[in-house]
Amino acid sequence: MSIEVNGKTLETDEEGYLANINEWEEGVATVMAKEDELELTDEHWEIINFLREYYEEYQVAPAVRVLTKAVGKKMGKDKGNSKYLYALFPYGPGKQACRYAGLPKPTGCV
Amino acid sequence: MLHIVNKSPFERNSLETCLSLAMDNSTILLIEDAVYAAMQGGKFSDKMASAAEQCSVYVLAPDLQARGMPDEKIISGIKTVDYSGFVDLVADNKNVQSWL
Amino acid sequence: MTDEAMMDDEMDGEEGVIKKFLYVNRKAPYGTIYALESLEVVLIATAFDQDVSLVFIDDGVYQLIKGQNTEGIGVKNFSPTYRALEMYDVEKLYVSKDSMAERGLTEDDLIVPVEVLDNDQMKTLMEEQDVILSF
């Protein structure tokens, strides 16, 4: 599988996660969101960028409960809760946001 | 606790680490290539003989036979078990640690 | 488990039986797949909220060494992930005093805070466990 981003063809795995994290650019998230009929807002980008920083630091895509906790620590309780994150990423903040951020599927999510 | 070791002590340090971390009165079972450790006259024989005094040490007979290791050369104090004896050891112990 | 199912679990607030799980790591990081496999199993298993401890013995202590850089060998450097374990509520990391000494290592050489155990302490820790998984 693959996606088209700014005229480039980027390889993805069978679940739509980017095969090579280094090929990520903002357009990847935009294109993926469009396929899900989702308009990315600043709030979405805040989480996507947070995930990219998290991966850079720890080399692991966090499980949803870990993401929730980490977001809470960085951005406060208003954002570090399931309700807020699921409202932004209805397919699941662990999986959907990691996919947009170019990360692998979170370890521990099937 | 049942400790299971499956690598030759001449190739890996699993057995030595197991011996240093096994509590007195625990059970040690030698299987696969670890059965060589049960034989007399080798570098590890003295260590195994004293381990057999502190712990219950068993060796799996089919693995000995497969490798041509004769019963009469097994270090005294080490007992042989067959597969059903192996199962009994697992069932009789609260937990099992495999030393890979 | 799906994200949705996981959220449901959290909301149910059901508490299962909590067992003591010990992961025993005895292999260096890149020569074999054991170290990475162990780390992944630990991360996955944290979803089940059990009482988890990790020990590093023999060459396993090399997994925690600072300054690993795998660019030249073309495999992922997973050592930073040990620093994420705390966020997965895995807080009990132990290393063998003997294994550290044999390799000329001290706690300052490691990327995460650990507790150093002598053999008697290690024996006790192992004896307390319900399940021991070896890698």
Side-chain angles (χ1 to χ4, degrees):
Chain A
M1 283 173 59
S2 64
I3 55 165
E4 296 289 324
V5 179
N6 296 330
K8 278 177 288 188
T9 306
L10 306 180
E11 195 191 328
T12 63
D13 68 14
E14 65 274 15
E15 291 177 283
Y17 293 83
L18 218 55
N20 181 353
I21 188 172
N22 299 319
E23 290 179 345
W24 189 86
E25 53 183 277
E26 290 190 353
V28 169
T30 316
V31 169
M32 287 179 175
K34 205 166 190 175
E35 285 174 359
D36 293 339
E37 294 176 1
L38 188 74
E39 187 83 32
L40 292 182
T41 62
D42 288 349
E43 285 74 29
H44 291 100
W45 282 111
E46 188 178 33
I47 301 301
I48 292 169
N49 290 326
F50 178 78
L51 274 169
R52 290 195 57 82
E53 286 165 24
Y54 187 96
Y55 192 86
E56 178 66 27
E57 173 86 8
Y58 299 111
Q59 297 296 307
V60 67
V64 63
R65 64 185 194 292
V66 177
L67 170 65
T68 307
K69 202 159 70 175
V71 166
K73 216 167 159 185
K74 176 103 184 272
M75 305 170 199
K77 280 224 158 71
D78 291 351
K79 295 180 176 179
N81 64 76
S82 293
K83 198 177 166 193
Y84 175 81
L85 294 170
Y86 272 88
L88 285 178
F89 299 98
Y91 294 102
K95 290 193 277 190
Q96 192 178 10
C98 283
R99 192 162 53 84
Y100 291 2
L103 271 49
K105 189 165 149 179
T107 304
C109 290
V110 180
Chain B
M1 169 126 56
L2 172 63
H3 297 272
I4 301 178
V5 182
N6 77 335
K7 292 289 186 285
S8 162
F10 300 99
E11 189 209 345
R12 303 264 185 104
N13 65 354
S14 319
L15 178 65
E16 287 196 274
T17 303
C18 168
L19 293 180
S20 65
L21 294 175
M23 286 220 175
D24 286 357
N25 301 320
S26 56
T27 306
I28 299 170
L29 172 63
L30 307 172
I31 64 169
E32 298 169 20
D33 286 348
V35 301
Y36 296 118
M39 309 316 293
Q40 297 167 9
K43 189 166 90 169
F44 299 97
S45 300
D46 290 348
K47 209 166 192 175
M48 287 310 297
S50 60
E53 286 168 19
Q54 314 294 330
C55 302
S56 304
V57 182
Y58 295 88
V59 58
L60 190 64
D63 282 331
L64 280 171
Q65 288 149 12
R67 289 163 181 77
M69 296 290 118
D71 281 2
E72 61 271 19
K73 286 194 72 182
I74 295 172
I75 293 162
S76 90
I78 298 184
K79 291 154 277 196
T80 59
V81 282
D82 56 13
Y83 287 116
S84 71
F86 186 163
V87 173
D88 290 340
L89 289 177
V90 173
D92 291 345
N93 281 276
K94 181 174 154 270
N95 52 20
V96 177
Q97 178 160 14
S98 291
W99 294 87
L100 300 176
Chain C
M1 195 182 278
T2 63
D3 285 352
E4 292 79 4
M6 222 177 257
M7 192 168 72
D8 286 346
D9 279 359
E10 282 169 13
M11 287 176 168
D12 287 346
E14 269 183 38
E15 295 276 321
V17 179
I18 296 182
K19 289 191 172 185
K20 291 172 90 75
F21 278 70
L22 178 69
Y23 294 84
V24 179
N25 299 285
R26 292 185 48 250
K27 305 272 197 267
Y30 303 109
T32 63
I33 197 73
Y34 286 97
L36 178 58
E37 289 284 314
S38 172
L39 184 57
E40 295 210 323
V41 172
V42 169
L43 292 176
I44 291 167
T46 56
F48 301 104
D49 291 329
Q50 299 294 305
D51 181 357
V52 173
S53 305
L54 272 59
V55 300
F56 298 86
I57 304 171
D58 292 333
D59 281 353
V61 298
Y62 287 129
Q63 294 176 24
L64 300 180
I65 290 291
K66 280 178 188 164
Q68 297 175 38
N69 179 348
T70 57
E71 276 169 37
I73 60 170
V75 297
K76 180 171 153 171
N77 174 6
F78 51 88
S79 65
T81 307
Y82 294 105
R83 288 192 286 107
L85 286 173
E86 198 188 349
M87 282 175 276
Y88 283 76
D89 297 319
V90 175
E91 286 160 345
K92 291 186 271 191
L93 274 57
Y94 304 99
V95 299
S96 153
K97 188 178 173 184
D98 281 7
S99 302
M100 294 283 281
E102 282 169 7
R103 288 161 182 78
L105 301 173
T106 69
E107 280 175 79
D108 289 342
D109 297 310
L110 307 182
I111 51 172
V112 276
V114 295
E115 197 175 327
V116 180
L117 301 185
D118 64 27
N119 283 356
D120 282 340
Q121 292 169 310
M122 193 71 82
K123 286 179 195 181
T124 307
L125 176 73
M126 289 175 172
E127 201 61 35
E128 290 168 354
Q129 303 302 316
D130 295 304
V131 180
I132 299 176
L133 297 161
S134 301
F135 291 90

